[in-house]
């Protein structure tokens, strides 16, 4: 069964940085697009970023463009989200999801941006 | 950017009764490859989101058969034929035609 496990969340001050990781298992990781999606308190799901199977192409929501970077290491079956210039409105649970259909999701990791 | 809207934003349903949620997109989700890039998810309390329907009407593996999706172009519907207690949660549509955009979500309460 597909398994996705996020890590790296925590408390960070505004303007700070954080790197999230998502380790995948039990599917051919290097053949699938991977995404990050977030759920902020009191709000709905928001797609954040996606990366092609090879890692050659990346895509971002306007709200994070220039601040967040998605990358992947297919040898480690891991996708990353490097977040910098964090703002209070980036506070959310961050999920990684498999494929363009977002057919499987991890349990999420909580990022809190606060002084 | 494609904007997604959902109605209603909340729904209270008696167990055993049907329910439906509407989703509209600001642009057609019909791709030149013939597929319609509209998805439905549910996020139950304390859980991660789960895919229910993809390409507007194809039920995902493991999704109960009481869930069905329909629609085309810009207008879509998720139907629950007979609501069960476990169907409580927030239901989202998402477009995958141009990057990805979720609708605002519909909170379903089971009476």
């Amino acid at each position: 069964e597909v398994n996705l496990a996020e890590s790296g969340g925590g408390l960070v001050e505004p303007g700070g940085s954080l790197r999230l990781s998502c380790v995948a298992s039990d599917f051919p990781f290097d053949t699938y697009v991977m995404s990050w999606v977030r759920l902020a308190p009191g709000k709905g799901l928001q797609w954040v970023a996606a990366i092609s199977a090879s890692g050659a192409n990346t895509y971002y929501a306007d709200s994070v463009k220039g601040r967040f970077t998605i990358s992947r290491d297919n040898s480690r079956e891991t996708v990353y989200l490097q977040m910098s210039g964090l703002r209070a409105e980036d506070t959310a649970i961050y999920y990684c999801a498999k494929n363009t259909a977002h057919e499987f999701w991890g349990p999420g990791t909580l990022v809190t941006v606060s002084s | 950017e494609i904007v997604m809207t959902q109605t209603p934003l909340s729904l209270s349903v008696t167990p055993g009764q049907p329910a439906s949620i509407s989703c509209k997109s600001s642009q057609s989700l019909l791709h030149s490859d013939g597929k319609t890039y509209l998805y439905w998810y549910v996020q139950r309390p304390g859980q991660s989101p789960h895919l229910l329907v993809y390409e507007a009407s194809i039920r995902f593996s493991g999704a109960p058969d009481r869930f069905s999706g329909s629609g085309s172009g810009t207008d879509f519907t998720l139907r629950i034929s007979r609501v069960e207690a476990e169907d409580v949660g927030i239901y989202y549509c998402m477009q995958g035609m141009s990057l990805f955009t979720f609708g605002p979500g519909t909170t379903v309460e089971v009476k």
Side-chain angles (χ1 to χ4, degrees):
Chain A
E1 180 173 305
V2 170
N3 196 23
L4 298 169
E6 303 92 342
S7 62
L11 175 63
V12 60
E13 292 186 348
S17 299
L18 212 55
R19 188 178 83 154
L20 307 183
S21 301
C22 170
V23 178
S25 58
D26 299 321
F27 68 95
F29 181 76
D30 59 1
T31 65
Y32 286 95
V33 167
M34 296 295 295
S35 283
W36 288 95
V37 179
R38 67 187 181 185
L39 180 66
K43 303 221 170 160
L45 295 172
Q46 181 191 24
W47 173 78
V48 172
I51 187 166
S52 61
S54 68
N57 300 105
T58 57
Y59 312 88
Y60 298 94
D62 287 344
S63 58
V64 306
K65 204 173 290 182
R67 300 188 299 123
F68 290 12
T69 301
I70 189 171
S71 62
R72 65 191 296 161
D73 183 340
N74 285 344
S75 68
R76 296 179 184 272
E77 298 185 311
T78 302
V79 59
Y80 303 98
L81 187 67
Q82 178 68 49
M83 306 184 293
S84 60
L86 283 162
R87 307 166 180 165
E89 55 264 35
D90 296 317
T91 294
I93 299 171
Y94 285 73
Y95 301 97
C96 65
K98 174 194 170 209
N99 206 6
T100 53
H102 298 67
E103 61 215 39
F104 290 102
W105 301 58
T109 187
L110 176 62
V111 172
T112 303
V113 184
S114 174
S115 54
Chain B
E1 178 187 339
I2 297 177
V3 177
M4 306 297 290
T5 57
Q6 289 180 231
T7 54
L9 296 182
S10 65
L11 194 54
S12 183
V13 189
T14 300
Q17 293 301 301
S20 66
I21 300 168
S22 172
C23 173
K24 296 184 189 294
S25 58
S26 60
Q27 299 175 33
S28 176
L29 302 185
L30 175 61
H31 195 274
S32 56
D33 64 6
K35 296 178 182 179
T36 298
Y37 289 96
L38 186 282
Y39 307 84
W40 288 99
Y41 304 85
V42 60
Q43 185 162 27
R44 299 185 177 94
Q47 296 185 17
S48 303
H50 291 270
L51 176 65
L52 291 171
V53 171
Y54 64 98
E55 294 174 20
S57 62
I58 304 174
R59 193 181 309 114
F60 185 58
S61 171
D65 61 9
R66 63 182 179 275
F67 291 93
S68 64
S70 64
S72 62
T74 61
D75 291 345
F76 304 93
T77 301
L78 177 71
R79 290 186 175 86
I80 311 174
S81 59
R82 292 173 306 279
V83 170
E84 297 188 5
E86 68 180 29
D87 297 335
V88 66
I90 305 175
Y91 290 76
Y92 297 92
C93 59
M94 183 195 79
Q95 67 82 17
M97 183 74 174
S98 174
L99 297 183
F100 306 98
T101 315
F102 289 90
T106 295
T107 300
V108 171
E109 171 196 84
V110 179
K111 294 177 184 174

